[in-house]
Amino acid sequence: MHYDLIIRNGTCVLPWGEARTDIGVRDGRIASLTAGVADDADEVVDAAGLHVLPGLIDPHVHLRDPGDASVESIPTGTRAAALGGVTTVFDMPNTAPAITDAEMLRWKQEYASRESWVDLAMYVGATRANTPHLGEYERFDGVCAIKVFAGSSTGDLMIEDDEGIRRVLEHGHRRVAFHSEDEYRLQARKAMFTPGMPYDMHRVWRDEECAFLGTRRIVALARRTGRPIHILHTSTAEELAWLPDCRDIATVEVLVNHLTQVAPECYETLGALAVMNPPIRDRRHYEASWEAVRNGTVDTIGSDHAPHSLEAKARPWPATPAGLTGVQTLVPVMLDHVNAGRLSLGRMVDLMAAGPARVYGLQAKGRIAMGYDADFTLVDMKARRRITNDWIATPAGWTPFDGMAVTGWPMATIVRGRAVMREDTILGTPSGRLARFAP
């Protein structure tokens, strides 16, 4: 039988376990999991010594487009994703201007379809003005979810009060994603701090109760309205101990940073390059995050890739903008965690492929199975590499993981049967498409 692509000799991570098998691809879809030795293809990839994963997804990125292309854009950010082994990204709406109406959604649909190196989905930002239209906007092609900034935003994108959040939850039916820090507590505590204090004060200001209070309020409103929600970048032991009792209504994301970096050491070594929202916390919360990964509380892992220029990050606290680069380093850092024994490769795939597909209703992605999109991340679990700033494709040009030695590296990124990266080299031209979701 003839295929467009055959991937031979790899150890494939299938939904039911690992298996040595050859995958046949036709018309951008998986056509066979048992391609035979007599079968041929237009292209054959020899994956001997590699693991073939379903295409990995970063469900939480800020590609800053429209905005400042000298920091990030859809072309550069999706190029970074491809270099890092990510086949699909979900892009946040807090751009300039924000993605909050039909005109901007249509602009982004056209632009992303033309300029993205990997497949892309977009969040729509909830505002008080657009709330009545959210049920319409969530059904636009390529829209993964409505995003609510209940804290840590500015202008129209901030909806911090219970009545405003309740109204958002009553318009539409798909899962709503939340930044759940409590804005009232943030503002009440702000006067305790003065400019120029150590960067470690970031986690003191945005303390555990700020996050936990926001999450408790939002879950209560979700239950009142019957609308499913997704708590983004969950960062505290308190939230992660409480959320298993909320599985009827809430799913959970954690970030790679909260699984990798620990306060106060990160602030001592990185300074402003450790400042993000919610903040990196101490070892108690780090250990709780790993326990939540192991016990199944966590549904998805993302990077919250949110680049700023080094010049902006150099401002004294609290003027330094919160946000770190991460889409390109997500896979190598998580593979290193697998090799360190903190989670299995199968669990990583569940969190970074099947999990996002399940939570958001992403269609035909997240599994190596017949009929699914032929998205694959090929990784060398034994490769030893060092993450460095000069590898980073994002124009901001830095990573908080600069100098980190890792074991495990993405060797190829294949999107719908087309290789867009091999051995740290981008191939061809942008051919990403809008991801598809259940209506």
Side-chain angles (χ1 to χ4, degrees):
M1 188 171 294
H2 183 78
Y3 297 97
D4 301 327
L5 169 70
I6 296 177
I7 302 175
R8 293 198 185 277
N9 304 318
T11 301
C12 302
V13 180
L14 307 173
W16 45 90
E18 294 186 6
R20 290 288 299 275
T21 190
D22 296 341
I23 300 172
V25 172
R26 191 180 296 117
D27 297 327
R29 297 288 187 97
I30 297 171
S32 174
L33 297 182
T34 55
V37 293
D39 295 334
D40 64 352
D42 297 336
E43 181 181 8
V44 177
V45 172
D46 185 359
L50 304 180
H51 281 74
V52 181
L53 314 183
L56 297 179
I57 299 163
D58 190 341
H60 192 156
V61 302
H62 298 258
L63 298 185
R64 307 299 196 203
D65 206 344
D68 183 358
S70 70
V71 173
E72 188 66 288
S73 65
I74 284 175
T76 57
T78 58
R79 183 185 182 93
L83 285 166
V86 172
T87 61
T88 304
V89 295
F90 295 1
D91 191 24
M92 288 294 175
N94 54 330
T95 49
I99 309 301
T100 58
D101 60 34
E103 180 182 1
M104 288 307 301
L105 276 167
R106 293 189 182 101
W107 173 86
K108 192 165 183 177
Q109 286 173 329
E110 190 279 329
Y111 177 53
S113 298
R114 174 167 40 88
E115 298 291 345
S116 182
W117 288 92
V118 301
D119 284 357
L120 183 142
M122 65 196 82
Y123 293 85
V124 178
T127 71
R128 299 181 197 282
N130 76 3
T131 292
H133 305 288
L134 292 176
E136 171 194 356
Y137 294 162
E138 72 175 5
R139 295 192 298 274
F140 271 51
D141 289 348
V143 169
C144 57
I146 304 301
K147 168 68 180 290
V148 179
F149 293 88
S152 304
S153 192
T154 58
D156 292 345
L157 280 175
M158 176 78 77
I159 302 182
E160 74 277 20
D161 61 296
D162 286 6
E163 179 59 20
I165 294 170
R166 181 190 64 78
R167 291 187 67 242
V168 168
L169 293 172
E170 289 177 344
H171 288 83
H173 70 278
R174 291 175 56 196
R175 193 173 297 274
V176 179
F178 277 90
H179 183 130
S180 69
E181 290 179 288
D182 186 81
E183 184 66 15
Y184 299 107
R185 182 172 175 85
L186 281 175
Q187 294 305 319
R189 291 170 58 79
K190 196 171 185 178
M192 299 166 54
F193 306 94
T194 56
M197 291 180 112
Y199 292 110
D200 187 49
M201 288 296 101
H202 197 67
R203 68 183 175 109
V204 179
W205 173 34
R206 313 178 86 93
D207 67 348
E208 296 89 335
E209 181 58 19
C210 173
F212 192 22
L213 177 59
T215 295
R216 294 198 305 270
R217 287 178 53 217
I218 290 162
V219 168
L221 290 164
R223 281 198 169 129
R224 188 186 308 172
T225 59
R227 184 75 177 272
I229 60 171
H230 189 49
I231 303 298
L232 298 169
H233 43 47
T234 311
S235 64
T236 72
E238 287 77 8
E239 291 171 283
L240 292 167
W242 183 76
L243 281 165
D245 292 330
C246 308
R247 300 304 290 185
D248 57 307
I249 204 75
T251 50
V252 177
E253 174 192 80
V254 297
L255 301 181
V256 63
N257 301 80
H258 294 127
L259 294 169
T260 308
Q261 297 166 306
V262 180
E265 294 86 348
C266 64
Y267 298 100
E268 295 167 357
T269 59
L270 293 170
L273 300 189
V275 173
M276 61 183 294
N277 296 330
I280 298 168
R281 306 189 190 276
D282 65 29
R283 187 159 295 276
R284 179 173 72 90
H285 301 289
Y286 166 88
E287 296 292 355
S289 296
W290 276 112
E291 177 56 28
V293 166
R294 287 188 288 268
N295 68 26
T297 297
V298 177
D299 298 278
T300 67
I301 287 176
S303 72
D304 198 0
H305 173 76
H308 298 277
S309 69
L310 284 171
E311 291 77 13
K313 292 295 284 185
R315 297 170 192 158
W317 187 83
T320 185
L324 313 177
T325 64
V327 68
Q328 192 171 337
T329 53
L330 173 64
V331 174
V333 172
M334 289 306 302
L335 291 174
D336 191 66
H337 286 310
V338 171
N339 276 307
R342 298 184 182 99
L343 77 168
S344 68
L345 185 60
R347 178 64 171 135
M348 178 186 139
V349 166
D350 180 56
L351 290 163
M352 296 174 63
R358 180 176 63 247
V359 165
Y360 289 90
L362 177 63
Q363 302 295 285
K365 293 186 185 294
R367 296 159 58 97
I368 297 177
M370 289 285 289
Y372 276 65
D373 285 354
D375 295 351
F376 307 102
T377 302
L378 277 59
V379 301
D380 184 343
M381 294 302 297
K382 297 179 180 179
R384 296 179 182 272
R385 296 282 293 272
R386 189 174 298 275
I387 295 170
T388 56
N389 284 338
D390 60 8
W391 176 62
I392 298 300
T394 293
W398 60 273
T399 167
F401 300 113
D402 180 47
M404 179 179 177
V406 296
T407 303
W409 198 260
M411 304 304 294
T413 305
I414 297 173
V415 180
R416 285 174 285 100
R418 178 178 176 271
V420 296
M421 184 277 287
R422 281 188 189 161
E423 297 182 354
D424 298 321
T425 300
I426 293 291
L427 306 173
T429 58
S431 59
R433 297 180 184 173
L434 298 177
R436 304 182 304 278
F437 295 86

